Amino acid sequence: MQNSHTISSDIRAIQIRSAIDEIRNDRASGAAKQTVRAARLLVECSRHTPADLPEITRALTDAQPTTGPIYNLAAIVLHSHDVPAVCHDFLDSMERN
């Protein structure tokens, strides 16, 4: 029987994959909405699975390869020590422009 840590990790992995699949399959929303969803996912992952951020950012950019803001956000997150602040600042800058 799996311990509770492994089970919760498995559930989190399923939730992450599901969120990325939703972004991948979303052909109706614009780049801004998709980027907000990506930022929320990255913030959540930075809190629970920070070691997986490189893989998650790669999956997000693969999910929407033509969505520049997601690519730019992913690149910034990979070099950040404060993912929630970086995501917040990035989304603020998107709103101002």
Side-chain angles (χ1 to χ4, degrees), residues 8-68:
S8 65
S9 296
D10 291 345
I11 291 169
R12 192 169 332 280
I14 291 167
Q15 291 169 335
I16 292 167
R17 280 193 296 270
S18 176
I20 292 170
D21 285 344
E22 287 177 17
I23 291 170
R24 175 181 293 107
N25 296 324
D26 183 354
R27 300 291 181 229
S29 300
K33 184 174 181 180
Q34 290 178 347
T35 304
V36 168
R37 290 166 59 197
R40 288 182 183 146
L41 177 62
L42 290 168
V43 168
E44 192 67 24
C45 292
S46 74
R47 293 182 177 139
H48 299 289
T49 56
D52 294 335
L53 278 172
E55 180 181 351
I56 293 165
T57 57
R58 196 169 30 258
L60 284 168
T61 58
D62 288 347
Q64 285 291 341
T66 60
T67 305

Side-chain angles (χ1 to χ4, degrees), residues 65-85:
T66 60
T67 305
I70 290 177
Y71 180 87
N72 294 335
L73 177 62
I76 293 168
V77 162
L78 286 176
H79 296 90
S80 172
H81 297 289
D82 189 352
V83 173

